[in-house]
Amino acid sequence: MKNSKKIIRISIISLCSLIVLAAVIFGSVFIPQLMPVQTKGEAEDIKFIIPYGENAYQVTQRLSEENLIKNKKIFYYCLLRPKYLKILYPKLEFPQNISFKSGIYYLNKKMNYGQIIKQFCDGSKEFIKISFPEGLTISKIGKLLEEEYVCSKDDFYKACHDTEILKKYNINSQSAEGFLFPDTYYFDFGNEPKLVVCKMIDNFFEKIKQIPQLDGKSPEDFKDILILASIVEREYKLSEEAPLIASVFNNRVKNNDGLYSCATIEYIITEIQGKPHPERIFEADLQIDNPYNTYKWRGLPPGPISNPGIIALKAAVEPADTDYYFFQLVDADIGKHIFSKTFDEHKQNHRLLPKR
């Protein structure tokens, strides 16, 4: 009997020792890993972006790389077991299932795991401001959106070709090219690409209310105007020349001639063939067998080649009344062109170009 009590006493002592040892290990090893990276002095705010589509493991990895947390394994384990977060940080409230919201966050090295995780769960209220200049294409807009962490360029491209969106806005084309109005936008993080596309198209139809001449145009005429505007947008530099350039293309269309626009060749090379923007157009490029090649096919191409602004749209609706059939760039620095009625005049104007 005495031996049994002795064994029980030893077992209790051993258990207590193990508990004490576990507490010591927990306190000396685990607890410090939960502490902020910095505990003294001022802590500078660090901008931390969670892009759309990034998962919790990737976020954890970057937090570790930027030295905002001490132990990425413990941090990630806390995400997988939210109940421990409530024990470790009883004063903070966490959702039942941890889910990070994409956005812009400002963290500092004096924040503990609980504060960081709670901020990511609450989400960010800061907007992303992006200005899109006139004349960009879907792919170039998508690249900017991806660089600013709004959405991926591939997802944006797919949304621009989404048949439901095109049907919603009665866009009789294979994509929303031409309908993405160039402007300054404020996007939320986590916006779906479809919402981004719709926001830009909604803005397009709102802005063209400035052009009453578009009212009552048939879908076919409207599309032709938009195509013409997209070409003018890529050709003009001086706003006063936009109606003159539009008149050249308009006269060629009326005369059933080719537009001979290098901008359409660039569109084929960069947007259809997916190649880098060419420094110059070669004779072989003019022979590319594609309906957007206005050197090979007469009339307007099948669709817009850029997303034009108000100046180009107004020029396409009301081109200047001229007899011009040609224009030639004579000052690349300011984008000045000279216009001519005949090919002989055009050749003569070509001699005005500065020699390289």
Side-chain angles (χ1 to χ4, degrees):
M1 191 71 174
K2 289 182 179 180
N3 289 336
S4 297
K5 290 182 178 180
K6 188 177 180 180
I7 292 172
I8 293 173
R9 202 178 304 120
I10 293 172
S11 298
I12 292 173
I13 293 172
S14 300
L15 180 60
C16 290
S17 299
L18 288 173
I19 293 173
V20 170
L21 180 62
V24 170
I25 294 173
F26 182 83
S28 61
V29 178
F30 186 73
I31 291 296
Q33 297 298 312
L34 295 171
M35 297 296 289
V37 172
Q38 180 181 335
T39 57
K40 297 180 181 179
E42 293 291 327
E44 182 182 354
D45 282 344
I46 298 171
K47 187 175 183 179
F48 189 88
I49 299 174
I50 299 181
Y52 178 76
E54 188 172 66
N55 61 42
Y57 180 81
Q58 293 170 319
V59 173
T60 302
Q61 185 69 30
R62 289 199 297 112
L63 285 170
S64 178
E65 291 170 357
E66 297 187 31
N67 195 30
L68 285 164
I69 56 174
K70 286 185 174 181
N71 192 303
K72 61 183 179 182
K73 291 183 178 179
I74 295 176
F75 184 89
Y76 189 63
Y77 185 80
C78 288
L79 302 181
L80 300 178
R81 300 290 187 274
K83 62 181 180 181
Y84 293 121
L85 284 173
K86 296 176 182 179
I87 296 173
L88 294 169
Y89 308 103
K91 293 183 179 181
L92 298 177
E93 293 184 6
F94 301 95
Q96 189 171 357
N97 296 312
I98 300 298
S99 177
F100 291 168
K101 296 179 181 178
S102 56
I104 298 175
Y105 299 90
Y106 290 92
L107 310 178
N108 64 70
K109 295 183 179 182
K110 296 184 76 173
M111 296 175 68
N112 60 40
Y113 292 0
Q115 291 169 325
I116 293 174
I117 292 170
K118 179 169 174 53
Q119 191 169 342
F120 289 167
C121 291
D122 290 344
S124 172
K125 297 300 180 184
E126 184 166 332
F127 293 103
I128 304 172
K129 178 183 177 182
I130 308 181
S131 295
F132 300 105
E134 292 85 352
L136 294 187
T137 58
I138 286 174
S139 66
K140 291 181 174 63
I141 292 173
K143 184 180 179 182
L144 285 176
L145 288 168
E146 184 169 271
E147 289 173 353
E148 296 297 329
Y149 301 102
V150 177
C151 61
S152 77
K153 60 183 180 182
D154 291 338
D155 289 341
F156 179 74
Y157 182 87
K158 291 176 184 176
C160 286
H161 291 74
D162 187 275
T163 53
E164 290 184 4
I165 291 178
L166 300 178
K167 185 177 180 181
K168 174 183 176 181
Y169 292 100
N170 294 317
I171 297 175
N172 184 24
S173 185
Q174 294 182 347
S175 75
E177 192 85 270
F179 292 85
L180 307 173
F181 194 80
D183 205 346
T184 297
Y185 293 87
Y186 294 86
F187 296 109
D188 288 314
F189 269 97
N191 270 164
E192 292 184 11
K194 289 183 180 181
L195 295 179
V196 175
V197 173
C198 289
K199 187 171 188 176
M200 299 185 77
I201 298 176
D202 285 336
N203 192 29
F204 171 85
F205 284 109
E206 182 63 30
K207 289 297 171 65
I208 64 172
K209 291 178 181 178
Q210 303 174 35
I211 311 175
Q213 298 93 326
L214 286 173
D215 288 343
K217 294 289 184 183
S218 68
E220 293 78 12
D221 288 342
F222 186 91
K223 183 178 180 180
D224 287 348
I225 290 169
L226 187 57
I227 293 172
L228 177 57
S230 74
I231 298 174
V232 172
E233 185 64 70
R234 294 294 299 272
E235 295 281 5
Y236 92 90
K237 292 294 184 291
L238 301 175
S239 58
E240 62 268 24
E241 289 187 356
L244 296 173
I245 291 175
S247 75
V248 170
F249 291 132
N250 194 49
N251 289 338
R252 290 178 182 177
V253 170
K254 288 181 178 179
N255 202 43
N256 198 28
D257 291 331
L259 297 188
Y260 299 104
S261 168
C262 289
T264 61
I265 304 299
E266 291 173 355
Y267 183 81
I268 295 171
I269 293 172
T270 60
E271 306 305 313
I272 297 175
Q273 296 183 341
K275 297 179 181 178
H277 193 281
E279 293 185 5
R280 56 181 296 188
I281 302 297
F282 294 94
E283 182 64 31
D285 298 323
L286 306 183
Q287 303 305 317
I288 297 174
D289 189 14
N290 188 283
Y292 279 87
N293 185 346
T294 55
Y295 280 82
K296 200 166 185 179
W297 305 99
R298 297 176 179 177
L300 295 169
I305 65 166
S306 75
N307 290 278
I310 288 296
I311 292 174
L313 285 164
K314 286 182 176 179
V317 173
E318 287 192 337
D321 185 12
T322 74
D323 294 327
Y324 294 143
Y325 276 83
F326 304 93
F327 61 92
Q328 175 70 56
L329 182 68
V330 291
D331 190 333
D333 291 334
I334 63 173
K336 181 176 177 58
H337 294 85
I338 189 168
F339 298 82
S340 53
K341 299 178 182 179
T342 67
F343 187 61
D344 287 338
E345 290 178 3
H346 181 59
K347 288 190 293 183
Q348 185 68 30
N349 291 337
H350 191 73
R351 297 172 187 171
L352 299 175
L353 289 174
K355 295 183 180 179
R356 296 181 179 179

